[in-house]
Amino acid sequence: MTLSRRGVLGLAGAVGSAGAMGALGAAGPAGTARTAGTAGTAETIGTAGAKGTVGTSGTAGAAGAAAPRAASRVRTGFERLAADGYAVLAGQRVGVVTNPTGITPDARHLVDVLHADERVDLVAVFGPEHGFRGTAQAGDSEGASRDPATGLPVYDTYGKSGQRLADVFTAAGIDTVVFDIQDVGARFYTYIWTLYDCMRAAALAGKAVVVLDRPNPVGGRRAAGPVLERPYAGFVGREPIALAHGMTAAELARLFNGEFLGAAPVRLTTVGMSGWRRGSFFGETGLPWVPPSPNMPTPDTALAYAGTCLFEGTNLSEGRGTTTPFEVLGAEGIDRRWAEAANALGLPGVWFREAYFTPTFSKHMGKVCGGVRLIVHDREAFDPVRAGIGLLVTARRVWSGFGWRPDHWIDRLTGSDRVRKLIDAGAGVEEVADDWAAGLARFEAVRARYLLYP
């Protein structure tokens, strides 16, 4: 059987307005054109092909214009910032929100690089969920500390928002918050809401925000899944965006500033990438992968995550405590019938294989679980959200022990109670997907205004 050129997951068992819409792009590798970031405006540096930008050739890049060919390797926002001599940060006392993913292409951490450069006055580091050094498990952080490599104070942002987080920025004595963290493309992955909270807090404290962009590792051709309903908002979804948003951090920052920060937008600068296209997966970027969190070991994990993380809302294991979290799912008492039922759905781009595993921690720790392993054979055709719904539907049908978490966490993950209630009523994948189609279409229309890349 021939596999798609887009690759295989798991075969080896591993696995409003955004402010000033006339943003300026890169003037070339050695320099960057930009606009002044006055209060309540947004500017974008170093992108091409977006509406109202100047492309890398220095010519007007109107919407729909031909984009330049991608470079052999993607240049991240940090690289573009450094190539411009850190001009955006000149004269500013800087604090960086980051974690182990904030690295250069040669695997140096940007905090070490910035601290060693006399052109940047770096005075503080801020750690998100899992911490600055990434040692904490889900729902935890490392707390406040001092970075042994640089001597810089490290502040904990996890669980803080609004005025409480604004007070942290004020106490740190910074002028500008720089954000550089690798996202994975799912609404319930909390780093994008750390960004959102930092933007709100920075606006309250009178600070500027600079977002250094990185690729969406699962591509950005489309959004997928249900859009959050506000009564279900929380740290796994602050605002109504799609479950798989199909955006980069910089694009999301522009959307947050234009749609959700209301009358008090932050002074926002986004430093874009070069060489990234919406259809690119992480393996095509030429960049090193650093796990953004302890249970996100590979880009293939990220590919499945937007769908399989929904099993956090059930009594089944989502594969935590195995070497392939979110790629294997199961519980005691499940057998081959689940994989057979899931394959019978004929979902594009993915096969489901009968699997057995023993989690070393989390749900069903130390117990042999039966279940499925996802094998993605065509990444372009694969829709992780539909796959996740299909697995929920079939698990409920074939395993009498299936149950939702008593706190209805699934409603937080999907963004409403509608998916849970439809599945409980016996709905199939298409019926569930049809229910969210209108909301997704509305989100996609808004999303299109903030995209930066072809």
Side-chain angles (χ1 to χ4, degrees):
M1 185 170 290
T2 302
L3 302 178
S4 164
R5 66 181 179 84
R6 285 296 187 183
V8 177
L9 179 153
L11 277 179
V15 123
S17 154
M21 290 302 292
L24 295 181
T32 304
R34 58 190 174 275
T35 59
T38 56
T41 66
E43 59 171 323
T44 301
I45 297 172
T47 60
K51 182 178 179 179
T53 65
V54 175
T56 53
S57 66
T59 59
R69 290 186 64 184
S72 58
R73 178 179 67 75
V74 169
R75 264 63 180 178
T76 66
F78 177 76
E79 290 179 80
R80 307 303 297 274
L81 179 77
D84 194 36
Y86 306 108
V88 170
L89 306 180
Q92 304 292 302
R93 288 171 59 84
V94 176
V96 176
V97 183
T98 191
N99 68 358
T101 66
I103 63 169
T104 64
D106 58 357
R108 293 178 296 156
H109 199 280
L110 71 93
V111 166
D112 299 325
V113 175
L114 292 174
H115 181 259
D117 198 307
E118 294 182 353
R119 295 172 294 180
V120 180
D121 186 12
L122 181 61
V123 300
V125 179
F126 303 97
E129 183 180 9
H130 306 292
F132 168 48
R133 295 299 181 188
T135 63
Q137 280 291 339
D140 203 357
S141 61
E142 294 171 336
S145 64
R146 190 165 290 275
D147 178 35
T150 62
L152 292 167
V154 180
Y155 298 84
D156 184 10
T157 71
Y158 184 57
K160 300 178 179 68
S161 60
Q163 190 60 52
R164 187 180 175 200
L165 184 54
D167 290 344
V168 172
F169 290 157
T170 299
I174 62 170
D175 304 307
T176 298
V177 179
V178 173
F179 181 93
D180 190 350
I181 295 179
Q182 177 64 60
D183 183 42
V184 302
R187 182 182 63 227
F188 37 61
Y189 205 59
T190 63
Y191 296 141
I192 63 171
W193 304 115
T194 294
L195 169 60
Y196 173 88
D197 287 343
C198 286
M199 290 174 64
R200 276 200 173 278
L204 288 171
K207 314 299 182 185
V209 172
V210 176
V211 179
L212 307 181
D213 214 7
R214 289 185 180 271
N216 184 325
V218 299
R221 288 178 295 124
R222 60 181 181 268
V227 174
L228 174 79
E229 296 178 7
R230 288 193 185 278
Y232 297 87
F235 196 44
V236 292
R238 296 279 198 220
E239 298 285 358
I241 66 172
L243 195 159
H245 49 72
M247 302 177 78
T248 68
E251 291 172 336
L252 283 166
R254 285 160 49 86
L255 185 147
F256 294 162
N257 215 33
E259 301 295 325
F260 303 136
L261 296 192
V266 73
R267 287 177 292 142
L268 173 66
T269 301
T270 58
V271 185
M273 299 173 283
S274 64
W276 189 75
R277 291 175 175 270
R278 309 211 70 82
S280 298
F281 293 87
F282 195 85
E284 301 167 74
T285 66
L287 297 171
W289 176 261
V290 174
S293 56
N295 290 289
M296 193 63 61
T298 73
D300 288 338
T301 319
L303 188 61
Y305 177 77
T308 55
C309 185
L310 296 176
F311 279 81
E312 284 189 355
T314 74
N315 60 345
L316 284 78
S317 167
E318 62 276 8
R320 293 181 188 274
T322 76
T323 58
T324 54
F326 303 108
E327 298 174 54
V328 290
L329 308 164
E332 291 182 280
I334 299 179
D335 59 25
R336 66 181 184 282
R337 288 174 293 175
W338 188 18
E340 291 170 354
N343 281 318
L345 296 175
L347 295 170
V350 62
W351 302 313
F352 303 99
R353 181 178 179 272
E354 177 186 5
Y356 297 89
F357 58 94
T358 304
T360 59
F361 63 89
S362 194
K363 288 185 279 186
H364 304 287
M365 180 177 67
K367 299 176 181 178
V368 177
C369 296
V372 298
R373 175 178 296 280
L374 281 76
I375 300 175
V376 176
H377 59 88
D378 185 343
R379 293 181 300 185
E380 291 180 335
F382 177 58
D383 182 332
V385 185
R386 284 177 182 258
I389 297 299
L391 287 167
L392 289 170
V393 167
T394 52
R396 188 179 183 280
R397 289 175 180 172
V398 305
W399 184 47
S400 61
F402 178 88
W404 305 109
R405 259 176 52 172
D407 61 358
H408 285 165
W409 185 243
I410 187 66
D411 298 352
R412 295 286 185 178
L413 296 174
T414 59
S416 78
D417 62 359
R418 298 181 65 80
V419 167
R420 173 175 56 84
K421 289 181 175 179
L422 282 166
I423 291 175
D424 281 347
V429 177
E430 293 308 313
E431 186 177 351
V432 175
D434 286 346
D435 184 73
W436 72 54
L440 179 60
R442 288 192 295 271
F443 170 73
E444 288 179 322
V446 174
R447 168 183 175 271
R449 301 199 293 266
Y450 298 97
L451 302 182
L452 294 170
Y453 307 97

